[in-house]
Amino acid sequence: MADHLEASITLPSDPASVSAARAHVVGTLAEWGMPEDTEVSDTIRLIVSELATNAVQHTLGQSPTFTVDLVLDRHDQLCIGVTDSHPRFPKRLPAAVQQDNGRGLVIIRWLAVECGGRMRVRPTREGGKTVSVVLPWGVPAEPATAVEVTGQQES
């Protein structure tokens, strides 16, 4: 594998684009050596889903498209970035706020930290923003399997 790989897709800010973003990312990562049936792949799928959903829902029709960028650098870190052209930065809601939405970034940040990574938000030159998650790249040797719990003790 090369020391530096990149992939990008630009999609319309439409709810149907969220599944297209997930499919693009999972397919690209499979090409780069990450099996689709691993916990890491599932985590990345959820991160992309939350980032793409935020790009669609929270730009209030002011960003006609969003872009998903993947960068794998020197086999040690994967950067997932979602860029839109809306200037408003995401706001973190207090835990006590009673709303049905607004927790996506909390979920993303928690997943990133759980995997040993980080999340950041930065402005673009064009006046929009990019929300990125950087994760350590560690292609699992074997697919994740479900552990069966029977309640019986081994002797």
Side-chain angles (χ1 to χ4, degrees):
M1 181 181 345
D3 284 345
H4 184 87
L5 297 170
E6 294 184 14
S8 182
I9 188 169
T10 298
L11 298 163
S13 289
D14 180 86
S17 295
V18 174
S19 62
R22 280 193 309 263
H24 171 75
V25 168
V26 170
T28 300
L29 294 180
E31 290 175 15
W32 293 352
M34 178 175 284
E36 292 182 31
D37 57 350
T38 63
E39 283 187 46
V40 174
S41 182
D42 287 344
T43 298
I44 292 170
R45 186 180 293 114
L46 179 55
I47 288 170
V48 170
S49 184
E50 289 293 330
L51 290 174
T53 298
N54 284 351
V56 171
Q57 287 184 345
H58 299 294
T59 58
L60 307 171
Q62 295 181 24
S63 180
T65 62
F66 68 95
T67 302
V68 179
D69 293 304
L70 296 171
V71 178
L72 178 56
D73 196 21
R74 298 182 186 219
H75 306 289
D76 63 0
Q77 71 178 19
L78 172 68
C79 181
I80 306 159
V82 175
T83 303
D84 64 59
S85 59
H86 193 281
R88 185 175 49 125
F89 272 49
K91 294 179 184 177
R92 183 184 292 186
L93 294 176
V97 173
Q98 297 296 318
Q99 288 187 323
D100 292 335
N101 60 11
R103 303 291 185 266
L105 286 182
V106 173
I107 293 168
I108 295 165
R109 188 179 312 273
W110 184 81
L111 289 169
V113 169
E114 182 181 70
C115 292
R118 66 188 185 281
M119 184 191 89
R120 67 180 178 190
V121 182
R122 64 185 193 281
T124 64
R125 289 184 208 159
E126 298 79 22
K129 67 190 160 301
T130 300
V131 181
S132 9
V133 173
V134 178
L135 302 171
W137 178 259
V139 176
E142 298 195 17
T145 58
V147 177
E148 185 177 325
V149 178
T150 62
Q152 298 176 349
Q153 295 181 355
E154 291 184 27
S155 31

